Amino acid sequence: MIADAAELADDWESIRQGYFLGEPDETLLECVNRLRAARAAVPQDPDVTAFFTLGLVSMYGHAASEADPEVADAAAQMLLAAASDPAVANRVCGHGTHPCDDSDVDGQLESFEMLLSLLAGDSEYAWEDLDQNGREPGEESRWRCPHNVAGFARWAAAAIR
């Protein structure tokens, strides 16, 4: 569990929506640093790593258009590092598709508030709530799948660059 997860997710959503009252570059760099620490942790908690990776993804718009170039570059580099993690690249996935495969990735960001709270382990939602149609079995595993997280990370890094 991430103690300050709700506060972080609120800040990231505020940055994504463009109404954050704090310093967005500092918040972005804090997320980069916390993702770096999560990736270096032994043992690595995949939900914590996914939480901070998707936090960076959610702030991609700021990084791409408003952040200082050094901050944007740090975010893109960390996203690419997370996406190319050997634990992801060497893992077999049985899912036919992932949410990151949707052509409207920006639209998928609307689900991140719920997704981040589920990954943090402190949520009023259930994984099935991410499936708007109620027809897709195994939503938890598709959203949590490292290939899905990596796909979002690659997309955001490309958008930033």
Side-chain angles (χ1 to χ4, degrees):
M1 181 181 257
I2 302 163
D4 58 346
E7 180 181 334
L8 291 170
D10 285 346
D11 288 350
W12 300 339
E13 180 63 15
S14 295
I15 290 171
R16 186 176 84 78
Q17 296 289 339
Y19 58 83
F20 185 62
L21 298 178
E23 177 52 51
D25 280 5
E26 287 179 19
T27 303
L28 194 74
L29 285 176
E30 178 187 352
C31 188
V32 166
N33 291 330
R34 289 186 71 176
L35 176 54
R36 183 178 292 114
R39 292 184 67 235
V42 178
Q44 191 179 96
D45 183 332
D47 284 347
V48 172
T49 303
F51 179 83
F52 288 107
T53 301
L54 295 173
L56 282 178
V57 170
S58 69
M59 295 184 284
Y60 91 93
H62 170 76
S65 62
E66 299 171 23
D68 287 338
E70 302 83 27
V71 174
D73 190 51
Q77 285 180 16
M78 184 53 62
L79 284 164
L80 289 173
S84 64
D85 192 304
V88 175
N90 298 329
R91 182 177 171 174
V92 176
C93 166
H95 304 117
T97 63
H98 296 94
C100 69
D101 298 329
D102 188 329
S103 61
D104 180 20
V105 177
D106 271 320
Q108 293 289 3
L109 295 179
E110 296 296 324
S111 299
F112 273 36
E113 181 181 2
M114 185 185 311
L115 175 60
L116 291 170
S117 70
L118 287 163
L119 287 168
D122 185 25
S123 182
E124 62 191 48
Y125 301 107
W127 285 100
E128 295 78 24
D129 294 332
L130 285 170
D131 178 23
Q132 297 173 2
N133 299 327
R135 291 183 237 150
E136 195 73 43
E139 275 302 299
E140 174 180 3
S141 58
R142 281 182 354 114
W143 278 93
R144 268 180 140 160
C145 180
H147 291 282
N148 183 55
V149 175
F152 276 122
R154 279 189 298 276
W155 173 84
I160 293 168
R161 293 201 159 166

